[in-house]
C-alpha cells in the first residue's frame, strides 16, 4: 500500500511540475484509418476497410527531456468487411466513434527534425454509422463504447508538423450477436498528420 501511495504522489508531483516548465501546443490532427475486427468466430471472416479521423489535439513536452503527453478528441471512422467462410459476397460495415486517446510521448533528435514514440489508452463512444448488419441471417450490432491501447511512431518537422503511424489494439468487445457468441474487437492502423500551433 505504501508503494502505491508513493507512486501516486510521484505522478501527482510530475503533473503539477510539468505545466510550469513544459511546452504546451494545440493543433489539429487527421488521417487515414485502415481498420478491421479481430473475431473469435470460424464462421465469419473479417477484412480491412478504410475510414478517416480528424479532430483537435493538445500536447505538452518537458524541454530537454523530450517526454510529455498528448491527447485528442477524434471523430474516427472504423469498421470491417465481413463475409461468411466460403462465401463470395461480403458486407461492409462502418461505425463512427468519438475517440479520446491520451498518450505518453517521447521525442528525440535535433530541433528541426525529431522522431517520436508514443503509447497510451483510448476510449471511444459510438456517435453514428452503421448500427445493425445482417450477416448469415443474423443481426450483428455495434456497441456504444470501446476502449483499447495505442502504439505510435512518427516524426516531427520544425516543431509544427507531425507525421506518424499508429496501431490501435481494441480491448473491449465492440459487436454482439443474438445467435452466437461473438467476440469482436476493433483493431487497425492509422496514418496521421498533425499541425501544431
Amino acid at each position: 500500500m505504501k508503494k502505491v501511495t508513493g507512486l501516486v504522489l510521484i505522478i501527482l508531483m510530475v503533473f503539477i511540475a510539468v505545466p510550469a516548465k513544459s511546452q504546451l501546443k494545440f493543433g489539429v490532427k487527421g488521417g487515414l484509418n485502415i481498420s478491421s475486427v479481430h473475431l473469435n468466430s470460424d464462421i465469419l471472416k473479417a477484412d480491412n476497410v478504410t475510414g478517416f479521423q480528424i479532430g483537435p489535439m493538445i500536447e505538452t513536452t518537458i524541454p530537454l527531456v523530450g517526454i510529455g503527453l498528448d491527447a485528442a478528441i477524434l471523430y474516427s471512422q472504423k469498421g470491417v468487411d465481413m463475409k461468411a467462410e466460403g462465401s463470395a459476397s461480403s458486407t461492409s460495415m462502418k461505425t463512427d466513434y468519438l475517440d479520446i486517446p491520451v498518450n505518453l510521448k517521447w521525442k528525440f533528435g535535433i530541433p528541426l527534425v525529431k522522431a517520436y514514440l508514443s503509447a497510451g489508452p483510448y476510449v471511444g463512444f459510438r456517435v453514428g454509422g452503421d448500427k445493425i448488419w445482417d450477416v448469415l441471417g443474423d443481426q450483428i450490432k455495434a456497441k456504444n463504447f470501446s476502449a483499447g491501447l495505442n502504439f505510435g511512431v512518427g516524426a516531427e518537422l520544425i516543431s509544427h508538423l507531425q507525421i506518424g503511424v499508429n496501431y490501435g489494439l481494441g480491448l473491449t468487445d465492440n459487436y454482439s450477436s443474438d445467435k452466437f457468441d461473438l467476440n469482436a474487437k476493433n483493431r487497425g492502423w492509422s496514418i496521421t498528420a498533425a499541425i501544431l500551433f
Side-chain angles (χ1 to χ4, degrees):
M1 186 64 179
K2 289 181 180 179
K3 289 181 181 179
V4 173
T5 305
L7 182 61
V8 169
L9 287 174
I10 290 170
I11 291 171
L12 285 174
M13 284 189 293
V14 168
F15 278 102
I16 291 169
V18 164
K21 297 190 176 186
S22 67
Q23 298 171 344
L24 185 65
K25 296 179 182 177
F26 297 91
V28 178
K29 182 177 184 178
L32 175 71
N33 291 341
I34 303 167
S35 60
S36 187
V37 172
H38 178 74
L39 296 168
N40 69 334
S41 173
D42 295 330
I43 301 170
L44 300 174
K45 183 182 177 187
D47 287 322
N48 295 332
V49 296
T50 57
F52 66 91
Q53 61 173 263
I54 190 165
M57 69 172 287
I58 186 171
E59 177 184 279
T60 181
T61 307
I62 303 173
L64 302 177
V65 180
I67 296 175
L69 296 172
D70 79 13
I73 301 174
L74 301 172
Y75 184 89
S76 184
Q77 191 177 63
K78 302 176 185 179
V80 61
D81 192 54
M82 195 176 289
K83 65 181 178 181
E85 190 66 37
S87 173
S89 63
S90 63
T91 303
S92 182
M93 313 170 215
K94 288 189 178 179
T95 304
D96 301 333
Y97 292 92
L98 198 62
D99 281 344
I100 305 171
V102 179
N103 296 314
L104 182 65
K105 183 181 278 186
W106 176 44
K107 296 181 189 177
F108 51 95
I110 61 175
L112 291 179
V113 181
K114 293 182 180 180
Y116 70 80
L117 300 173
S118 64
Y122 74 87
V123 294
F125 303 93
R126 184 185 168 276
V127 293
D130 298 324
K131 171 69 175 172
I132 299 174
W133 308 279
D134 189 48
V135 180
L136 295 176
D138 181 29
Q139 288 190 337
I140 295 176
K141 300 175 184 177
K143 295 184 178 180
N144 292 326
F145 176 78
S146 67
L149 297 173
N150 284 313
F151 304 94
V153 61
E156 181 179 87
L157 308 174
I158 58 172
S159 298
H160 294 289
L161 176 64
Q162 292 181 356
I163 300 169
V165 177
N166 187 77
Y167 181 71
L169 177 69
L171 299 178
T172 56
D173 288 336
N174 301 117
Y175 304 91
S176 65
S177 169
D178 293 332
K179 287 190 176 178
F180 54 91
D181 182 28
L182 183 65
N183 185 333
K185 297 175 171 63
N186 285 328
R187 303 281 165 91
W189 293 91
S190 301
I191 302 167
T192 62
I195 299 173
L196 301 171
F197 307 102

